[in-house]
Amino acid sequence: MIRLVRVGKYEVPISNPDKVSFPERGLTKGDLVRYYLDVADCALPHLRRRPFHMVRYPNGVAADFFHQKRVPKHPDYVGEQFVRFPSGHTTVFAVIDNAAALAWVINLGCIELHTWHSRIDDIERPDYMLIDLDPTTDGQWPHVREIALVVREVLDELELASYPKTSGATGLHVLVPIRPEVRFPDVRGFAKRVAEEVERRVGDQDVATTTWRVAERRGVFVDFGQNARDRTIACAYSVRPTPDARVSAPLRWDEVAAVDPAAFTVETMRERIAAVGDPTAGMWRRKASLLPRFARLGLDPPE
């Protein structure tokens, strides 16, 4: 069965809208499309003009999934971007700039919204830096919350705006909007120095670590390595393929110390937005230059 969903001036075909996507919650593909259309005004600023990496779950989260970089045949309201990789391989990514395009990729089984850190205006230079707090073992969520506040302290001292969000899985992301003027390796180097300063301030390897080898980690990994070309994260308001249909939820900083990521799901996010608004509103108008801040971290500025 195909149902046409009116999105603005477009009619988007949704095939099998009653197919179950989240068996434990009884949520269908149609429920997922409705969720994304309801939060589109909040999600689209994080999606627009970015290469979109498809992770497709054609039979829901309990079945197999596959990755797809190349956008299939698509309507005019879905954008595209040619990308060449260092290996010499090339592909054409989808670009999701509007609510109709968002509904279209959800219809293909893209439960998550995976995007690059850069926009198509200059894909070699990201417009945000990411610190990813990634637990090494179960039960480290209290440490994640504690470390996040130290991350904020370091970034505040650098006069960099920062925006926390649950990853929707086990961790927490801190995003720093930056001017797209520094290439990925230099942003990664800057993020590494921030992570090392966080590790130093925490002062306990059982709590926070930048140790790269997984086998040698004990505490929460203060991950700076995601600041690399063609890496993706699940963006703000993205649903994650967890049994309870969790969402990567933007937070206010005053919520972080007591936050429970299980509180944010497809079924609760509309009510949350109605109650607190969008904590990332205006985020992309606060891009700062990293260039004058390299020296403050003891780094040579990039050429």
Side-chain angles (χ1 to χ4, degrees):
M1 180 179 73
I2 294 179
R3 180 182 303 160
L4 293 177
V5 175
R6 187 77 181 180
V7 185
K9 63 181 180 179
Y10 303 109
E11 286 192 333
V12 182
I14 305 299
S15 58
N16 301 313
D18 297 326
K19 178 181 283 188
V20 175
S21 296
F22 292 87
E24 288 195 17
R25 303 304 304 165
L27 295 170
T28 66
K29 182 199 284 191
D31 293 326
L32 202 59
V33 170
R34 282 188 289 274
Y35 163 78
Y36 275 120
L37 290 178
D38 286 345
V39 304
D41 287 346
C42 298
L44 283 170
H46 305 282
L47 290 167
R48 287 192 179 103
R49 305 190 67 73
R50 297 189 190 279
F52 184 93
H53 179 108
M54 295 184 180
V55 184
R56 296 177 61 177
Y57 295 78
N59 295 301
V61 299
D64 292 338
F65 65 92
F66 62 95
H67 293 263
Q68 182 175 347
K69 293 181 179 179
R70 184 173 295 276
V71 61
K73 184 178 179 181
H74 54 280
D76 291 344
Y77 52 77
V78 177
E80 59 179 46
Q81 175 64 31
F82 173 86
V83 172
R84 184 180 300 278
F85 295 97
S87 65
H89 292 128
T90 64
T91 195
V92 177
F93 284 91
V95 178
I96 307 305
D97 281 343
N98 57 75
L102 180 54
W104 182 82
V105 293
I106 303 309
N107 180 58
L108 293 182
C110 296
I111 287 170
E112 304 175 274
L113 308 179
H114 282 278
T115 54
W116 281 35
H117 301 343
S118 57
R119 306 206 191 229
I120 62 176
D121 311 270
D122 189 345
I123 63 170
E124 304 301 334
R125 292 173 173 81
D127 71 343
Y128 68 88
M129 179 181 75
L130 174 68
I131 300 295
D132 181 5
L133 303 181
D134 186 13
T136 299
T137 61
D138 292 339
Q140 291 185 322
W141 181 252
H143 292 335
V144 169
R145 297 184 300 202
E146 173 189 344
I147 298 163
L149 296 176
V150 180
V151 173
R152 184 194 187 189
E153 178 183 275
V154 173
L155 295 172
D156 281 353
E157 291 174 12
L158 290 165
E159 301 175 271
L160 291 169
S162 57
Y163 293 83
K165 70 180 183 70
T166 63
S167 72
T170 60
L172 188 141
H173 297 152
V174 180
L175 277 62
V176 179
I178 60 174
R179 294 179 189 169
E181 57 192 9
V182 179
R183 298 174 73 89
F184 279 100
D186 295 310
V187 174
R188 184 183 186 276
F190 190 99
K192 180 180 180 182
R193 189 58 60 89
V194 169
E196 289 169 344
E197 177 60 17
V198 170
E199 177 187 49
R200 185 191 69 79
R201 294 189 188 192
V202 173
D204 185 344
Q205 288 286 312
D206 289 330
V207 177
T209 183
T210 59
T211 300
W212 194 254
R213 293 188 61 186
V214 176
E216 296 175 0
R217 291 181 201 154
R218 300 190 303 273
V220 173
F221 184 37
V222 187
D223 187 0
F224 52 87
Q226 296 297 325
N227 297 281
R229 188 184 190 270
D230 74 33
R231 293 285 180 90
T232 67
I233 62 167
C235 76
Y237 299 100
S238 173
V239 181
R240 303 306 305 274
T242 59
D244 56 353
R246 289 191 191 181
V247 170
S248 180
L251 306 169
R252 302 188 312 257
W253 273 113
D254 62 6
E255 297 177 294
V256 169
V259 71
D260 178 1
F264 311 114
T265 69
V266 167
E267 294 165 295
T268 66
M269 280 300 290
R270 297 173 183 86
E271 183 178 347
R272 170 174 168 78
I273 293 169
V276 306
D278 174 14
T280 63
M283 171 179 169
W284 301 110
R285 295 193 296 273
R286 300 190 67 190
K287 295 179 185 178
S289 176
L290 287 189
L291 290 173
R293 292 170 167 85
F294 276 80
R296 293 168 65 175
L297 291 176
L299 297 169
D300 293 330
E303 297 179 0

